[in-house]
Amino acid sequence: MKRMRFYLQLSFTLVVCLFMIVPVIMSVMAGLTTNYFVGLESGLTLRWVKEVWALYADTIWLSIRLALTCLFLTVLLGVPAAYGLLRSKRRWANAIEEALLLPVAIPGLATALALLLAYGHMRGFRESWLFILIGHVLFTLPFMIRPVLAVMRGARLAELEEAAASLGAGFRQRFLGVVVPNCVGGILAGALMVVTLSIGEFNITWMLHTPLNKTLPVGLADSYASMRLEIGSAYTLIFLAMTLPLLVVIQWAGRFANRSRTP
């Protein structure tokens, strides 16, 4: 009976995995075939990948720049914010923690519209990629604060800070030498979410972008709408080739940090 239950669970898991993976494989193969409608009989080619790179390389570099800058800002803002929420004993701290979910609950188009109404009249700022960056930071910041705050709550920081203070450490030394090292796991978990969401974010970016500031998801939608299916699929291949190694590196860094902290 146990063996039968195991095989049923395994079969269900494999079916779910195939359901998710097969469309991705088909999309990748479509970007590598000469003619998708003919199939593999038409032969394999890198022609469509080269065309995508020639047409949309700037969108790829902009997405990387946006994701890394967004990550830097969310760490810079999110870690101190999580620490402030941890140390605060006031009721409004709980209200702020719940309010952090608003950018996630509110549709991205509504957030982008609010930014346009507030800052759209600033022409230079509106035409800059920094305008898109503000939208990305607003959307991804909760995904940095939440895991960092969760790690801080389980790390007994109060005792560690008290011990450091008894040795003469000031606030800056305690924060950089005690608080930050003890929440590296939360920072890396948040970084994984922030980079993934920033690179793949479409709704906010679609409302805020200009013809000179297209990101990878906007370019992907444009390629599927106005180009051959093979070009759109080749764009998907480049998207995967760019994001998967980055996510693997972040996960590897998280495991390495956890191992280094294990006695």
Side-chain angles (χ1 to χ4, degrees):
M1 193 67 183
K2 290 183 179 179
R3 181 174 296 180
M4 176 182 259
R5 186 181 304 170
F6 168 77
Y7 284 116
L8 287 174
Q9 292 175 341
L10 178 63
S11 301
F12 178 76
T13 302
L14 291 175
V15 168
V16 173
C17 290
L18 288 173
F19 181 78
M20 294 186 294
I21 294 174
V22 167
V24 177
I25 295 176
M26 292 184 65
S27 180
V28 169
M29 292 306 299
L32 295 175
T33 54
T34 303
N35 190 317
Y36 171 73
F37 298 100
V38 176
L40 292 176
E41 296 178 358
S42 62
L44 298 176
T45 180
L46 292 176
R47 170 189 170 188
W48 310 120
V49 176
K50 294 177 182 178
E51 288 198 26
V52 168
W53 188 260
L55 293 171
Y56 298 103
D58 55 334
T59 69
I60 297 170
W61 295 120
L62 177 58
S63 290
I64 294 175
R65 186 162 74 248
L66 270 171
L68 295 180
T69 309
C70 183
L71 175 60
F72 173 76
L73 291 177
T74 52
V75 171
L76 191 65
L77 298 172
V79 176
Y83 182 70
L85 291 172
L86 177 73
R87 294 295 299 270
S88 179
K89 304 300 181 181
R90 299 180 180 273
R91 293 181 179 178
W92 54 260
N94 294 329
I96 292 177
E97 185 177 349
E98 297 302 325
L100 288 172
L101 295 176
L102 285 178
V104 182
I106 297 175
L109 295 178
T111 302
L113 180 59
L115 290 173
L116 286 171
L117 292 175
Y119 307 111
H121 62 281
M122 302 179 183
R123 183 172 179 180
F125 183 51
R126 171 69 182 91
E127 295 175 353
S128 171
W129 66 276
L130 297 175
F131 194 50
I132 302 175
L133 176 63
I134 297 300
H136 281 214
V137 171
L138 284 175
F139 179 66
T140 59
L141 187 58
F143 295 95
M144 177 60 69
I145 294 178
R146 284 282 181 164
V148 172
L149 184 57
V151 170
M152 285 182 176
R153 283 174 172 163
R156 299 191 304 173
L157 288 181
E159 298 177 13
L160 295 174
E161 283 190 86
E162 184 178 353
S166 68
L167 297 174
F171 173 76
R172 182 177 179 182
Q173 290 176 306
R174 295 199 307 271
F175 183 77
L176 296 178
V178 176
V179 175
V180 173
N182 278 279
C183 62
V184 169
I187 293 174
L188 290 174
L192 181 65
M193 292 296 297
V194 168
V195 171
T196 305
L197 292 171
S198 179
I199 290 178
E201 210 295 316
F202 176 77
N203 291 330
I204 294 176
T205 310
W206 184 78
M207 284 284 287
L208 299 182
H209 87 281
T210 66
L212 298 178
N213 287 324
K214 287 184 179 180
T215 63
L216 199 153
V218 175
L220 181 60
D222 179 70
S223 67
Y224 271 111
S226 58
M227 299 288 181
R228 289 177 59 116
L229 178 63
E230 291 86 354
I231 291 181
S233 299
Y235 205 140
T236 303
L237 174 60
I238 292 177
F239 180 86
L240 294 173
M242 185 185 76
T243 55
L244 289 181
L246 187 60
L247 298 180
V248 169
V249 168
I250 294 175
Q251 287 186 325
W252 176 85
R255 292 177 182 175
F256 179 78
N258 290 333
R259 288 177 183 175
S260 64
R261 290 182 57 82
T262 302

